[in-house]
PDB file of all heavy atoms in Angstrom:
ATOM      1  N   CYS B 298     -22.835  17.072   7.903  1.00 98.00           N
ATOM      2  CA  CYS B 298     -22.149  17.795   7.138  1.00 98.00           C
ATOM      3  C   CYS B 298     -22.875  18.442   5.895  1.00 98.00           C
ATOM      4  O   CYS B 298     -23.698  17.743   5.270  1.00 98.00           O
ATOM      5  CB  CYS B 298     -20.928  16.959   6.396  1.00 98.00           C
ATOM      6  SG  CYS B 298     -19.975  17.803   5.062  1.00 98.00           S
ATOM      7  N   ASN B 299     -22.830  19.732   5.654  1.00 97.00           N
ATOM      8  CA  ASN B 299     -23.348  20.241   4.517  1.00 97.00           C
ATOM      9  C   ASN B 299     -22.196  20.846   3.560  1.00 97.00           C
ATOM     10  O   ASN B 299     -21.469  21.711   4.005  1.00 97.00           O
ATOM     11  CB  ASN B 299     -24.324  21.462   4.782  1.00 97.00           C
ATOM     12  CG  ASN B 299     -25.075  21.991   3.695  1.00 97.00           C
ATOM     13  OD1 ASN B 299     -25.277  21.103   2.753  1.00 97.00           O
ATOM     14  ND2 ASN B 299     -25.483  23.213   3.824  1.00 97.00           N
ATOM     15  N   PRO B 300     -21.997  20.196   2.355  1.00 96.00           N
ATOM     16  CA  PRO B 300     -20.859  20.632   1.546  1.00 96.00           C
ATOM     17  C   PRO B 300     -21.200  21.948   0.909  1.00 96.00           C
ATOM     18  O   PRO B 300     -22.208  22.594   0.915  1.00 96.00           O
ATOM     19  CB  PRO B 300     -20.833  19.538   0.591  1.00 96.00           C
ATOM     20  CG  PRO B 300     -22.232  19.115   0.412  1.00 96.00           C
ATOM     21  CD  PRO B 300     -22.794  19.195   1.705  1.00 96.00           C
ATOM     22  N   ILE B 301     -20.203  22.428   0.070  1.00 95.00           N
ATOM     23  CA  ILE B 301     -20.372  23.682  -0.648  1.00 95.00           C
ATOM     24  C   ILE B 301     -21.293  23.383  -1.782  1.00 95.00           C
ATOM     25  O   ILE B 301     -21.199  22.329  -2.377  1.00 95.00           O
ATOM     26  CB  ILE B 301     -18.897  24.042  -1.257  1.00 95.00           C
ATOM     27  CG1 ILE B 301     -17.976  24.562  -0.042  1.00 95.00           C
ATOM     28  CG2 ILE B 301     -18.982  25.217  -2.284  1.00 95.00           C
ATOM     29  CD1 ILE B 301     -16.556  24.789  -0.529  1.00 95.00           C
ATOM     30  N   SER B 302     -22.177  24.325  -2.023  1.00 92.00           N
ATOM     31  CA  SER B 302     -23.139  24.172  -3.059  1.00 92.00           C
ATOM     32  C   SER B 302     -22.612  23.858  -4.457  1.00 92.00           C
ATOM     33  O   SER B 302     -21.665  24.417  -4.904  1.00 92.00           O
ATOM     34  CB  SER B 302     -23.933  25.418  -3.157  1.00 92.00           C
ATOM     35  OG  SER B 302     -25.034  25.287  -4.203  1.00 92.00           O
ATOM     36  N   GLY B 303     -22.972  22.762  -5.088  1.00 90.00           N
ATOM     37  CA  GLY B 303     -22.598  22.363  -6.368  1.00 90.00           C
ATOM     38  C   GLY B 303     -21.536  21.315  -6.369  1.00 90.00           C
ATOM     39  O   GLY B 303     -21.100  20.859  -7.346  1.00 90.00           O
ATOM     40  N   HIS B 304     -20.931  20.970  -5.117  1.00 92.00           N
ATOM     41  CA  HIS B 304     -19.926  19.994  -5.054  1.00 92.00           C
ATOM     42  C   HIS B 304     -20.438  18.681  -4.928  1.00 92.00           C
ATOM     43  O   HIS B 304     -21.134  18.338  -3.965  1.00 92.00           O
ATOM     44  CB  HIS B 304     -19.106  20.260  -3.828  1.00 92.00           C
ATOM     45  CG  HIS B 304     -18.088  21.357  -3.974  1.00 92.00           C
ATOM     46  ND1 HIS B 304     -16.976  21.671  -3.118  1.00 92.00           N
ATOM     47  CD2 HIS B 304     -18.091  22.350  -4.970  1.00 92.00           C
ATOM     48  CE1 HIS B 304     -16.348  22.698  -3.579  1.00 92.00           C
ATOM     49  NE2 HIS B 304     -16.968  23.175  -4.585  1.00 92.00           N
ATOM     50  N   ALA B 305     -20.302  17.844  -6.023  1.00 91.00           N
ATOM     51  CA  ALA B 305     -20.904  16.523  -6.036  1.00 91.00           C
ATOM     52  C   ALA B 305     -20.203  15.508  -5.206  1.00 91.00           C
ATOM     53  O   ALA B 305     -20.781  14.588  -4.853  1.00 91.00           O
ATOM     54  CB  ALA B 305     -20.924  16.018  -7.439  1.00 91.00           C
ATOM     55  N   THR B 306     -18.914  15.755  -5.028  1.00 92.00           N
ATOM     56  CA  THR B 306     -18.075  14.747  -4.246  1.00 92.00           C
ATOM     57  C   THR B 306     -17.911  15.137  -2.776  1.00 92.00           C
ATOM     58  O   THR B 306     -17.618  16.385  -2.503  1.00 92.00           O
ATOM     59  CB  THR B 306     -16.730  14.669  -4.833  1.00 92.00           C
ATOM     60  OG1 THR B 306     -16.870  14.388  -6.162  1.00 92.00           O
ATOM     61  CG2 THR B 306     -16.004  13.457  -4.178  1.00 92.00           C
ATOM     62  N   LEU B 307     -18.144  14.266  -1.981  1.00 95.00           N
ATOM     63  CA  LEU B 307     -18.157  14.583  -0.403  1.00 95.00           C
ATOM     64  C   LEU B 307     -17.294  13.375   0.252  1.00 95.00           C
ATOM     65  O   LEU B 307     -17.432  12.175  -0.091  1.00 95.00           O
ATOM     66  CB  LEU B 307     -19.460  14.633   0.136  1.00 95.00           C
ATOM     67  CG  LEU B 307     -19.678  14.945   1.644  1.00 95.00           C
ATOM     68  CD1 LEU B 307     -21.047  15.741   1.849  1.00 95.00           C
ATOM     69  CD2 LEU B 307     -19.775  13.700   2.494  1.00 95.00           C
ATOM     70  N   TYR B 308     -16.454  13.752   1.119  1.00 96.00           N
ATOM     71  CA  TYR B 308     -15.657  12.912   1.936  1.00 96.00           C
ATOM     72  C   TYR B 308     -15.864  13.029   3.350  1.00 96.00           C
ATOM     73  O   TYR B 308     -16.028  14.136   3.880  1.00 96.00           O
ATOM     74  CB  TYR B 308     -14.107  13.189   1.656  1.00 96.00           C
ATOM     75  CG  TYR B 308     -13.713  13.320   0.117  1.00 96.00           C
ATOM     76  CD1 TYR B 308     -13.857  14.451  -0.505  1.00 96.00           C
ATOM     77  CD2 TYR B 308     -13.139  12.227  -0.572  1.00 96.00           C
ATOM     78  CE1 TYR B 308     -13.542  14.603  -1.908  1.00 96.00           C
ATOM     79  CE2 TYR B 308     -12.743  12.374  -1.856  1.00 96.00           C
ATOM     80  CZ  TYR B 308     -12.887  13.560  -2.517  1.00 96.00           C
ATOM     81  OH  TYR B 308     -12.503  13.721  -3.748  1.00 96.00           O
ATOM     82  N   TRP B 309     -15.791  11.907   4.075  1.00 98.00           N
ATOM     83  CA  TRP B 309     -15.630  11.971   5.504  1.00 98.00           C
ATOM     84  C   TRP B 309     -14.186  11.422   5.794  1.00 98.00           C
ATOM     85  O   TRP B 309     -13.817  10.266   5.334  1.00 98.00           O
ATOM     86  CB  TRP B 309     -16.620  11.088   6.190  1.00 98.00           C
ATOM     87  CG  TRP B 309     -17.981  11.621   6.325  1.00 98.00           C
ATOM     88  CD1 TRP B 309     -19.119  11.340   5.518  1.00 98.00           C
ATOM     89  CD2 TRP B 309     -18.472  12.716   7.218  1.00 98.00           C
ATOM     90  NE1 TRP B 309     -20.198  12.119   5.937  1.00 98.00           N
ATOM     91  CE2 TRP B 309     -19.692  12.893   7.005  1.00 98.00           C
ATOM     92  CE3 TRP B 309     -17.856  13.337   8.330  1.00 98.00           C
ATOM     93  CZ2 TRP B 309     -20.556  13.829   7.772  1.00 98.00           C
ATOM     94  CZ3 TRP B 309     -18.578  14.112   9.058  1.00 98.00           C
ATOM     95  CH2 TRP B 309     -19.858  14.426   8.750  1.00 98.00           C
ATOM     96  N   TYR B 310     -13.500  12.111   6.680  1.00 98.00           N
ATOM     97  CA  TYR B 310     -12.219  11.691   7.167  1.00 98.00           C
ATOM     98  C   TYR B 310     -12.205  11.486   8.638  1.00 98.00           C
ATOM     99  O   TYR B 310     -12.952  12.194   9.460  1.00 98.00           O
ATOM    100  CB  TYR B 310     -11.032  12.690   6.782  1.00 98.00           C
ATOM    101  CG  TYR B 310     -10.736  12.866   5.390  1.00 98.00           C
ATOM    102  CD1 TYR B 310     -11.461  13.656   4.570  1.00 98.00           C
ATOM    103  CD2 TYR B 310      -9.823  12.010   4.840  1.00 98.00           C
ATOM    104  CE1 TYR B 310     -11.158  13.800   3.129  1.00 98.00           C
ATOM    105  CE2 TYR B 310      -9.398  12.250   3.467  1.00 98.00           C
ATOM    106  CZ  TYR B 310     -10.100  13.138   2.722  1.00 98.00           C
ATOM    107  OH  TYR B 310      -9.757  13.355   1.404  1.00 98.00           O
ATOM    108  N   GLN B 311     -11.296  10.700   9.163  1.00 98.00           N
ATOM    109  CA  GLN B 311     -10.988  10.597  10.587  1.00 98.00           C
ATOM    110  C   GLN B 311      -9.690  11.026  10.888  1.00 98.00           C
ATOM    111  O   GLN B 311      -8.705  10.540  10.164  1.00 98.00           O
ATOM    112  CB  GLN B 311     -11.215   9.094  11.093  1.00 98.00           C
ATOM    113  CG  GLN B 311     -10.872   8.929  12.578  1.00 98.00           C
ATOM    114  CD  GLN B 311     -10.738   7.451  12.949  1.00 98.00           C
ATOM    115  OE1 GLN B 311      -9.845   6.765  12.512  1.00 98.00           O
ATOM    116  NE2 GLN B 311     -11.576   7.043  13.829  1.00 98.00           N
ATOM    117  N   GLN B 312      -9.425  11.983  11.765  1.00 98.00           N
ATOM    118  CA  GLN B 312      -8.068  12.462  12.008  1.00 98.00           C
ATOM    119  C   GLN B 312      -7.740  12.252  13.541  1.00 98.00           C
ATOM    120  O   GLN B 312      -8.307  12.926  14.385  1.00 98.00           O
ATOM    121  CB  GLN B 312      -7.832  13.924  11.650  1.00 98.00           C
ATOM    122  CG  GLN B 312      -6.514  14.419  11.766  1.00 98.00           C
ATOM    123  CD  GLN B 312      -6.130  15.896  11.185  1.00 98.00           C
ATOM    124  OE1 GLN B 312      -7.071  16.668  11.230  1.00 98.00           O
ATOM    125  NE2 GLN B 312      -4.992  16.129  10.867  1.00 98.00           N
ATOM    126  N   ILE B 313      -6.844  11.281  13.800  1.00 97.00           N
ATOM    127  CA  ILE B 313      -6.562  11.067  15.154  1.00 97.00           C
ATOM    128  C   ILE B 313      -5.314  12.062  15.456  1.00 97.00           C
ATOM    129  O   ILE B 313      -4.518  12.466  14.560  1.00 97.00           O
ATOM    130  CB  ILE B 313      -6.050   9.605  15.346  1.00 97.00           C
ATOM    131  CG1 ILE B 313      -7.339   8.787  15.137  1.00 97.00           C
ATOM    132  CG2 ILE B 313      -5.264   9.386  16.662  1.00 97.00           C
ATOM    133  CD1 ILE B 313      -6.868   7.307  15.048  1.00 97.00           C
ATOM    134  N   LEU B 314      -5.298  12.520  16.677  1.00 94.00           N
ATOM    135  CA  LEU B 314      -4.208  13.494  17.113  1.00 94.00           C
ATOM    136  C   LEU B 314      -2.874  13.146  16.686  1.00 94.00           C
ATOM    137  O   LEU B 314      -2.375  11.933  16.948  1.00 94.00           O
ATOM    138  CB  LEU B 314      -4.348  13.653  18.686  1.00 94.00           C
ATOM    139  CG  LEU B 314      -3.409  14.754  19.238  1.00 94.00           C
ATOM    140  CD1 LEU B 314      -3.964  16.178  18.817  1.00 94.00           C
ATOM    141  CD2 LEU B 314      -3.595  14.607  20.731  1.00 94.00           C
ATOM    142  N   GLY B 315      -2.152  14.039  16.058  1.00 92.00           N
ATOM    143  CA  GLY B 315      -0.793  13.795  15.531  1.00 92.00           C
ATOM    144  C   GLY B 315      -0.713  13.029  14.187  1.00 92.00           C
ATOM    145  O   GLY B 315       0.370  12.843  13.734  1.00 92.00           O
ATOM    146  N   GLN B 316      -1.792  12.691  13.585  1.00 95.00           N
ATOM    147  CA  GLN B 316      -1.803  11.955  12.347  1.00 95.00           C
ATOM    148  C   GLN B 316      -2.504  12.819  11.236  1.00 95.00           C
ATOM    149  O   GLN B 316      -3.392  13.797  11.552  1.00 95.00           O
ATOM    150  CB  GLN B 316      -2.548  10.676  12.414  1.00 95.00           C
ATOM    151  CG  GLN B 316      -1.853   9.758  13.550  1.00 95.00           C
ATOM    152  CD  GLN B 316      -2.587   8.473  13.554  1.00 95.00           C
ATOM    153  OE1 GLN B 316      -3.327   7.982  12.667  1.00 95.00           O
ATOM    154  NE2 GLN B 316      -2.356   7.709  14.632  1.00 95.00           N
ATOM    155  N   GLY B 317      -2.376  12.340   9.981  1.00 96.00           N
ATOM    156  CA  GLY B 317      -3.044  13.071   8.940  1.00 96.00           C
ATOM    157  C   GLY B 317      -4.490  12.550   8.843  1.00 96.00           C
ATOM    158  O   GLY B 317      -4.847  11.565   9.408  1.00 96.00           O
ATOM    159  N   PRO B 318      -5.342  13.234   8.061  1.00 97.00           N
ATOM    160  CA  PRO B 318      -6.670  12.685   7.885  1.00 97.00           C
ATOM    161  C   PRO B 318      -6.648  11.318   7.144  1.00 97.00           C
ATOM    162  O   PRO B 318      -5.824  11.123   6.231  1.00 97.00           O
ATOM    163  CB  PRO B 318      -7.302  13.750   6.910  1.00 97.00           C
ATOM    164  CG  PRO B 318      -6.534  14.988   7.221  1.00 97.00           C
ATOM    165  CD  PRO B 318      -5.084  14.561   7.453  1.00 97.00           C
ATOM    166  N   LYS B 319      -7.566  10.533   7.534  1.00 96.00           N
ATOM    167  CA  LYS B 319      -7.629   9.090   6.921  1.00 96.00           C
ATOM    168  C   LYS B 319      -9.068   9.077   6.344  1.00 96.00           C
ATOM    169  O   LYS B 319      -9.949   9.262   7.089  1.00 96.00           O
ATOM    170  CB  LYS B 319      -7.416   8.104   7.964  1.00 96.00           C
ATOM    171  CG  LYS B 319      -7.733   6.687   7.546  1.00 96.00           C
ATOM    172  CD  LYS B 319      -7.742   5.722   8.701  1.00 96.00           C
ATOM    173  CE  LYS B 319      -8.430   4.442   8.302  1.00 96.00           C
ATOM    174  NZ  LYS B 319      -8.533   3.492   9.626  1.00 96.00           N
ATOM    175  N   LEU B 320      -9.174   8.732   5.105  1.00 95.00           N
ATOM    176  CA  LEU B 320     -10.500   8.693   4.457  1.00 95.00           C
ATOM    177  C   LEU B 320     -11.392   7.521   5.024  1.00 95.00           C
ATOM    178  O   LEU B 320     -10.889   6.429   5.091  1.00 95.00           O
ATOM    179  CB  LEU B 320     -10.210   8.496   2.982  1.00 95.00           C
ATOM    180  CG  LEU B 320     -11.578   8.447   2.154  1.00 95.00           C
ATOM    181  CD1 LEU B 320     -12.287   9.709   2.250  1.00 95.00           C
ATOM    182  CD2 LEU B 320     -11.301   7.938   0.638  1.00 95.00           C
TER     183      LEU B 320
END
Side-chain angles (χ1 to χ4, degrees):
Chain B
C298 172
N299 191 27
I301 292 173
S302 177
H304 284 196
T306 308
L307 184 148
Y308 308 84
W309 282 103
Y310 290 89
Q311 180 192 61
Q312 187 173 25
I313 293 172
L314 188 65
Q316 299 182 19
K319 171 189 161 187
L320 181 68

